[in-house]
Amino acid sequence: MPAHCAPQTLSITRPDDWHLHVRDGAALQTVVPHTAAQFARALIMPNLKPPVTSTAQALAYRDRIHAAAAAAGHSTFEPLMTLYLTDHLPPDEILRAKDAGIVGVKLYPAGATTNSDAGVTDMRKTYATLEAMQRAGMPLLVHGEVTSPEIDLFDREAVFIDTQLIPLRRDFPALKVVFEHITTREAAQYVQTAHGAIAASITAHHLLYNRNAIFTGGIRPHYYCLPVLKRETHRQALVDAATGGSPRFFLGTDSAPHATHLKEHASGCAGCYTAHAAIELYASAFEAAQALDKLEGFASFHGPDFYDLPRNPGQITLHRESWTPPQSYPFADTTLKPLAGGEVLHWRMA
Ligand code: NCD
Ligand code: ZN
């Protein structure tokens, strides 16, 4: 479409972020207001140190997040909480969690990503708890990567589907599963065609970048996340999935803040920070695919529909406007570099 015919504003139902890391303590003061300015709700990941493994811990964490939002003037922001699945999460904790409004239980294969040391070492050890989740209608949210060192880093998601996810779903056919932050054509195809209650979240950075971004002009640690960015054919498959209108795909930023000095490090942490401009980054990706009309379903409808929660009242409006996010934010007693900081973006939320 010629530039002078392109839409200048875009209003959509207020969206939700279905996969978010906000950390804890003073860090909340920077990152929670960024999310709360755009999203009505966000599904909060439980990979704190130590992880959030009980309903009581999750509710106390929710209060701290809520207080950080309210202090910035976003008192209606609703953090949706998750528990961290370990080899020892007791089945009766699932009922307590369900009653308290906990929205999901997160599976990290042990060692798969940041703060996942307490993760599951053998799926069999979790079967009684998964049984309780299936019965209670509690969704399982999976970080879908195998951790075996002999499997190539770029193949770990595809191998997870065949060796872990398919057997798991065979054993628990009624368990609701969200394949979190998918990064490959294989994952998109599996979610699109599988039977039963399954959906996937997709990040903005996996829609916008392929793995070249990590290596352009030198090693660029702020583009390093897990699952790692993949080759261009996979990025295109994710764009097709996100913009295709299927209710099985929805927005989850996986915004994952780390202090600058821990990213720019000999052993840099995995995680891209995108909460400062999340909906703008998604709008860029959808516009590049000429699919801005599909953004609302992906960002605002498919997530709540899958989680059996009401769609949000109210709207947000994006304007076509060039602006440059800052290169750095204060972050507790250090700093945080956002993705696309110092670069020009072409959509801006009013
Ligand atoms: C996340 C983090 O830093 O907590 N990092 C990441 O690269 N996405 C963990 C995760 O979701 O894998
Ligand atoms: Zn994550």
Side-chain angles (χ1 to χ4, degrees), residues 19 21 23 47 108 113-114 143 181 225-226 254 256 258 270-271:
H19 184 121
H21 303 267
R23 315 307 183 203
N47 62 330
Y108 290 101
T113 186
T114 308
H143 182 111
H181 46 50
C225 64
L226 287 171
D254 196 19
H258 290 277

Side-chain angles (χ1 to χ4, degrees), residues 276-345:
H276 64 298
I279 197 68
E280 290 91 344
L281 292 168
Y282 279 105
S284 300
F286 275 65
E287 178 162 54
Q290 297 176 355
L292 275 175
D293 60 319
K294 296 295 197 310
L295 182 62
E296 184 176 46
F298 178 79
S300 313
F301 297 159
H302 302 166
D305 293 355
F306 185 82
Y307 281 97
D308 285 326
L309 290 167
R311 295 177 180 182
N312 294 315
Q315 294 207 314
I316 62 164
T317 298
L318 294 161
H319 294 279
R320 185 181 300 284
E321 176 190 325
S322 296
W323 67 292
T324 307
Q327 304 218 3
S328 181
Y329 291 102
F331 184 59
D333 53 2
T334 166
T335 63
L336 164 66
K337 282 197 186 167
L339 207 72
E343 295 173 22
V344 179
L345 299 182

